[in-house]
Amino acid sequence: MSLEVDSDNYDLENLNHLTKEELISIILDLKEQNRKKLGRKITKPKRTIDFTKYHKRHVVFKILYLGWDYHGFATQDVSEKTIEYELFRALTICCLIESRQTSNYHRCGRTDKGVSSFSQVISLTVRSNGDDSEELPYCKMLNRLLPKDIRVVPGVQ
């Protein structure tokens, strides 16, 4: 017992005259229509970047973080909940690096579980515009993707 669902007639007066079964049928039809629309969702293909076509620059970032929700700074085999994991996730999502292995990454130290830092320093080679006057906004790009308790600021120039 399926009723034709007409979204133009969804005013209170028309709905008040329907039986419980008719209302249930309309709800189920709407649910099915919605499911079909969601099933046809168009997904964009993942954009790939040819890193060989870009300039590169070795940069220094200062990392500030509240560490009480993390298992330390350094990446660990047993947990993804580390500061480094979040940093590299953000760096790869915004295509600043191709991978950790190719980024010439160095860190100045590490912290234990639950420890915060307001001056951790890392250096790595990132994608660049090649122009000092109009360089990519690295910190802005990363901070948009990082959790709120991890921030990147420019290192010493």
Side-chain angles (χ1 to χ4, degrees):
M1 172 183 170
S2 179
L3 298 174
E4 187 63 35
V5 178
D6 182 9
S7 59
D8 294 332
N9 292 327
Y10 282 154
D11 59 16
L12 190 56
E13 186 177 319
N14 289 340
L15 293 175
N16 277 332
H17 296 294
L18 298 175
T19 66
K20 179 180 176 181
E21 290 77 22
E22 290 171 327
L23 288 170
I24 290 171
S25 177
I26 289 173
I27 290 170
L28 293 174
D29 285 345
L30 286 171
K31 186 176 177 181
E32 181 63 22
Q33 287 176 11
N34 204 19
R35 188 188 63 75
K36 286 179 183 177
K37 284 180 186 176
L38 291 175
R40 288 182 285 175
K41 193 174 194 178
I42 298 171
T43 57
K44 291 184 194 176
K46 175 131 172 62
R47 187 178 94 162
T48 58
I49 288 185
D50 183 1
F51 283 89
T52 61
K53 294 181 180 179
Y54 289 91
H55 297 316
K56 292 186 176 172
R57 175 180 304 248
H58 199 76
V59 296
V60 174
F61 293 129
K62 188 190 292 188
I63 313 297
L64 304 101
Y65 56 89
L66 302 173
W68 44 71
D69 289 333
Y70 296 93
H71 294 259
F73 183 83
T75 302
Q76 301 175 15
D77 293 336
V78 295
S79 175
E80 290 181 349
K81 194 67 174 164
T82 65
I83 304 300
E84 253 181 9
Y85 175 83
E86 295 293 341
L87 284 171
F88 279 100
R89 185 187 62 79
L91 285 161
T92 52
I93 287 173
C94 65
C95 298
L96 288 178
I97 63 169
E98 192 170 8
S99 70
R100 180 179 176 150
Q101 293 74 22
T102 61
S103 68
N104 192 21
Y105 171 71
H106 301 282
R107 64 175 176 246
C108 71
R110 45 191 288 164
T111 55
D112 291 332
K113 180 178 179 178
V115 175
S116 299
S117 176
F118 297 101
S119 194
Q120 186 80 305
V121 177
I122 65 168
S123 70
L124 70 164
T125 303
V126 294
R127 178 173 56 96
S128 169
N129 276 344
D131 183 4
D132 287 341
S133 62
E134 291 189 32
E135 190 51 88
L136 296 171
Y138 297 124
C139 295
K140 189 175 185 178
M141 292 168 72
L142 291 170
N143 287 333
R144 285 182 179 169
L145 296 169
L146 287 167
K148 296 292 183 204
D149 50 2
I150 303 173
R151 296 289 99 187
V152 175
V153 295
V156 178
Q157 300 296 328

